[in-house]
Amino acid sequence: MIVEVVLLFFGTIFAFWLSAICGGGASLILIPILNLLLPASVVPFSLTIGTFTSSVSRIAVFKKHINWKIFFWFVPFSIPAVLIGAYLIKYINPNYLQLIVAFFLIANVPQLFKKVKNDETDEKASPKYVLAIIGFLAGFVSGITGAIGLLFNRFYLKFGLKKEEIVATRAANEVFLHLIKLVIYISLGLYSNLALWLGLAIAVATIISSYTVKYILPYLSENLFRKIGYGAMVVAGITLLIGTSDKIIQQDKLGVTIAKSESIISWRSTDFVIEFAFDDGLEIERPIHPKELPNHLKTKYDSLKDHYDVIHLEKVFTFRNEPSYEFYCYKDNQLTKFES
C-alpha cells in the first residue's frame, strides 16, 4: 500500500503538470492508479478532491491572469447545468455521451497543422451568449461524465488567451463545478475513509504541482503550448474512444457478423441485418413483434401461427421503396419463408 501511495503522490504531481500544460487529462493518468487502491464507485470522489484543490491552488498562483469576462459568463450557466447532468446520470448511459466527446476531441486533428495566426481569435469577436452556451455545456457534460478539462480546452485556445490566462481562467471556471460534485458524491454515499485520505494525498500533490508549474510555463512558447493542448485532446479522444467502445460492446452486447452477402449487427437484444444483392440492392432487416405488423398482415400472421411451431418476423427497408415484411415459419425444423 505504501508503494502505491508514493506512486500516486508523484504520479499526481506529474499528471497535473501535464494538465496545466495540455489543458487537462490528469485523470487519464490517475484513474488506473486509483483503481488499484479503491472500488470504482469511490474513485471519482478522490479524483474530485484533487481537481478541486488543484483549481484552488492554481487560482492562488495565477489569480492576476484570470479573464473575468469569461468567468462571469461561464460560471452562472455551468452551475445549474452540472446539477441537471448529475441528476440525469440515473437515466442516461454516460458511455454514449463519452463516445460523442471522443469524436469531438479527435476532430481537433486539423488544428495540429494550422498556423498560429489561424488559431488565434480575438475574444471580442465572439458574442457573450457563446460564453453562456459553453458554460452550460461544460457543466452538463461534467455532471454526467465527471470530466470537462480537455473537451473545452479548444474553447479557451480559440479565444486567444495566453497560456497563463488559460490555466487561471479554467481553474476559476471549474472550481465551483468540482465543489458541487463533491457535495453530490457525499450525499449519494459515494465515498469512503480510504478514498478521503487518498484524495487528501492527491490534494497535497496538486498544490505542489500548481506552485511549481509556474516555473515551467515560461519555457514554453505560445505556439508550442497550443500544439501540446490540441495534441493532448486528440490523444485523449483516441484513448476515450477505445475504452468507451469496449464498454459499450460488453454492456450492450454489440457485435458484427459477416457471412456471404449479409452483415448482422447485434445491439442489446436486437439484430440488424444488412444484406446486399445485385438484384435487390442494399437491404436493412430488423426483427419485429407481431404487434408492429400492419393490420392486413396481422390477419395473415394469425392464420399462419396455428400451422407452424415458430414464426419470426422481419421488417425490410430498401432505398426509395416502402418497407416490406418477411415471415420465417418453422415446422419440424423446416423453414418456409413468406414475403409481403
Side-chain angles (χ1 to χ4, degrees):
M1 176 67 74
I2 296 178
V3 175
E4 286 86 349
V5 173
V6 172
L7 178 63
L8 175 65
F9 183 82
F10 287 102
T12 298
I13 295 176
F14 177 72
F16 279 90
W17 277 347
L18 288 180
S19 177
I21 296 170
C22 301
S27 60
L28 296 176
I29 298 174
L30 295 182
I31 286 177
I33 301 175
L34 286 172
N35 282 335
L36 298 174
L37 306 173
L38 294 170
S41 60
V42 296
V43 166
F45 176 75
S46 288
L47 266 181
T48 305
I49 291 177
T51 51
F52 171 73
T53 308
S54 174
S55 295
V56 173
S57 57
R58 287 179 186 178
I59 291 172
V61 175
F62 297 98
K63 56 181 179 292
K64 66 180 181 180
H65 297 286
I66 296 174
N67 186 306
W68 291 107
K69 174 185 175 181
I70 291 179
F71 173 84
F72 285 122
W73 277 92
F74 185 100
V75 172
F77 293 91
S78 64
I79 291 177
V82 75
L83 295 174
I84 296 172
Y87 175 77
L88 289 180
I89 198 171
K90 301 177 184 178
Y91 310 101
I92 297 176
N93 186 344
N95 287 328
Y96 288 99
L97 181 59
Q98 290 178 10
L99 196 63
I100 296 173
V101 169
F103 285 115
F104 183 87
L105 291 171
I106 294 173
N108 286 288
V109 169
Q111 300 296 329
L112 293 173
F113 305 100
K114 285 186 177 181
K115 295 181 180 180
V116 179
K117 63 180 181 180
N118 292 333
D119 285 342
E120 294 179 347
T121 303
D122 183 4
E123 78 174 73
K124 294 181 180 179
S126 297
K128 294 179 179 179
Y129 70 83
V130 172
L131 299 173
I133 294 173
I134 294 296
F136 184 88
L137 292 176
F140 183 74
V141 174
S142 179
I144 295 179
T145 66
I148 60 173
L150 283 174
L151 177 60
F152 292 95
N153 194 30
R154 183 175 180 176
F155 156 70
Y156 295 102
L157 292 171
K158 280 292 184 182
F159 264 72
L161 275 63
K162 303 299 182 183
K163 50 185 182 290
E164 290 84 4
E165 291 178 315
I166 292 176
V167 172
T169 307
R170 280 188 65 248
N173 286 347
E174 296 170 14
V175 66
F176 293 101
L177 301 185
H178 297 317
L179 180 60
I180 291 172
K181 284 189 289 183
L182 278 177
V183 173
I184 293 173
Y185 294 146
I186 293 173
S187 65
L188 294 177
L190 298 176
Y191 67 96
S192 68
N193 290 333
L194 179 58
L196 174 61
W197 285 109
L198 291 179
L200 292 176
I202 294 174
V204 173
T206 61
I207 294 173
I208 296 174
S209 175
S210 295
Y211 276 88
T212 53
V213 76
K214 67 178 179 179
Y215 299 106
I216 299 175
L217 288 180
Y219 292 97
L220 299 176
S221 67
E222 294 293 338
N223 183 30
L224 179 60
F225 182 84
R226 289 170 176 269
K227 296 302 181 184
I228 292 175
Y230 285 123
M233 284 188 277
V234 173
V235 172
I238 295 173
T239 304
L240 189 61
L241 176 64
I242 295 172
T244 305
S245 299
D246 184 60
K247 289 181 182 178
I248 292 175
I249 289 171
Q250 293 181 13
Q251 292 179 1
D252 292 335
K253 298 179 177 61
L254 179 65
V256 178
T257 304
I258 300 176
K260 294 182 179 180
S261 62
E262 288 187 347
S263 297
I264 303 175
I265 301 175
S266 303
W267 182 71
R268 295 187 176 180
S269 59
T270 303
D271 289 337
F272 293 88
V273 180
I274 301 175
E275 181 178 350
F276 178 80
F278 287 104
D279 295 335
D280 300 325
L282 183 68
E283 294 182 349
I284 298 177
E285 302 172 359
R286 179 178 68 86
I288 62 172
H289 190 273
K291 293 180 180 179
E292 299 180 62
L293 288 170
N295 291 330
H296 70 283
L297 292 180
K298 287 180 181 178
T299 304
K300 179 176 182 178
Y301 172 79
D302 292 336
S303 65
L304 291 173
K305 67 180 182 180
D306 295 331
H307 299 87
Y308 293 93
D309 302 325
V310 178
I311 300 178
H312 295 299
L313 304 173
E314 288 187 353
K315 188 173 184 178
V316 182
F317 302 89
T318 55
F319 184 63
R320 291 184 177 178
N321 290 319
E322 291 293 325
S324 59
Y325 298 84
E326 295 179 348
F327 293 68
Y328 293 85
C329 307
Y330 293 87
K331 185 175 181 64
D332 298 329
N333 293 324
Q334 297 295 319
L335 170 63
T336 305
K337 180 180 177 182
F338 299 96
E339 297 182 357
S340 300

